[in-house]
Amino acid sequence: EVQLVESGGGLLQPGGSLRLSCAASGFTFRTYWMQWVRQAPGKGLVWVSRINTDGTNTTYADSVKGRFTISRDNAKNTLYLQMSSLRAEDTAVYYCARDGGKGGLSYWGQGTLVTVSS
Amino acid sequence: QSALTQPASVSGSPGQSITISCTGTSSDVGHYNLVSWYQQHPGKAPKLLIYEVTKRPSGVSNRFSGSKSGNTATLTISGLQAEDEGDYFCFSYITISTSWVFGGGTKLTVL
């Protein structure tokens, strides 16, 4: 069974940093592109970032470019999102999702909540 | 990366068919067949319904179908059921920035 389990969320102050993790199981992690998507409370889905199978190709939404870094450790079957210079508008549930290769996000984690507030 | 345009809400009675549109530009929806659709129930993770405009993952009801004309993609739900109530989002690749974008979301109410 495919499982994606995010962790690392929490409450932090503006300007802070945080690293989210997404532990993958039930499939050959190293063969899939992966994505991060976020959702502010009561709002819609927002694309954050995408990474290819070996981590050499990454793309970001303009709103997080230069502040967030996506990476992966295929030996540990884990996806990461390093977030820095956090702002109140980064407050959201962050989901990791498995990308079928052409943008179909076929499996999602349960999400982890990041709250940025002073 | 402006959000794709979806109607804020749609509604229908059980058994009816409804459509949800997703309008973009020739740089995203209109460029490649890389549009997908997701259903989300409150407090839950999204679920993939349609990918590459028209393809349906195994396990997704054939009551859900997708199409595209020009810069607008459309999700059709036939034979509406109470459990279809929820939020629906489209998602597309943006060729000029090699990034991705969601639609603003549509709340479906089954009357």
Side-chain angles (χ1 to χ4, degrees):
Chain A
E1 177 193 5
V2 171
Q3 281 199 313
L4 297 170
V5 179
E6 301 95 337
S7 61
L11 172 63
L12 62 161
Q13 294 188 336
S17 298
L18 197 64
R19 188 178 79 161
L20 304 183
S21 299
C22 169
S25 61
F27 66 100
T28 307
F29 178 70
R30 66 179 185 275
T31 65
Y32 284 88
W33 293 59
M34 298 293 294
Q35 301 208 24
W36 286 100
V37 174
R38 69 184 181 184
Q39 186 170 36
K43 303 296 185 181
L45 300 174
V46 175
W47 177 73
V48 173
S49 185
R50 189 188 195 214
I51 189 168
N52 70 340
T53 56
D54 63 5
T56 58
N57 185 327
T58 59
T59 52
Y60 299 92
D62 288 344
S63 58
V64 307
K65 201 172 294 183
R67 300 188 300 123
F68 289 13
T69 301
I70 189 172
S71 63
R72 63 192 297 161
D73 186 334
N74 286 341
K76 295 183 177 179
N77 290 339
T78 303
L79 175 72
Y80 302 102
L81 186 67
Q82 178 69 48
M83 305 186 294
S84 62
S85 302
L86 282 161
R87 308 164 180 166
E89 54 265 37
D90 295 317
T91 294
V93 172
Y94 285 75
Y95 295 100
C96 64
R98 192 182 87 173
D99 183 345
K102 295 187 177 182
L105 305 180
S106 49
Y107 290 93
W108 296 65
Q110 84 289 350
T112 187
L113 176 62
V114 173
T115 303
V116 184
S117 174
S118 54
Chain B
Q1 295 159 349
S2 300
L4 305 173
T5 301
Q6 296 182 232
S9 64
V10 298
S11 63
S13 299
Q16 287 186 330
S17 294
I18 64 96
T19 61
I20 299 173
S21 60
C22 170
T23 301
T25 70
S26 58
S27 296
D28 41 62
V29 174
H31 196 92
Y32 292 121
N33 287 335
L34 296 180
V35 176
S36 50
W37 289 92
Y38 302 84
Q39 175 193 62
Q40 188 180 35
H41 291 129
K44 300 293 187 181
K47 173 188 175 183
L48 176 65
L49 296 176
I50 298 289
Y51 65 101
E52 294 178 46
V53 177
T54 62
K55 299 178 180 179
R56 198 170 46 247
S58 61
V60 172
S61 171
N62 59 9
R63 297 186 300 105
F64 296 93
S65 61
S67 61
K68 189 181 81 168
S69 177
N71 297 334
T72 298
T74 301
L75 174 71
T76 300
I77 308 175
S78 58
L80 266 182
Q81 299 179 1
E83 56 261 38
D84 297 333
E85 196 163 273
D87 296 320
Y88 291 80
F89 298 89
C90 59
F91 184 54
S92 175
Y93 180 68
I94 309 172
T95 182
I96 57 174
S97 59
T98 64
S99 61
W100 298 79
V101 64
F102 280 97
T106 299
K107 183 174 183 59
L108 169 62
T109 301
V110 180
L111 302 171

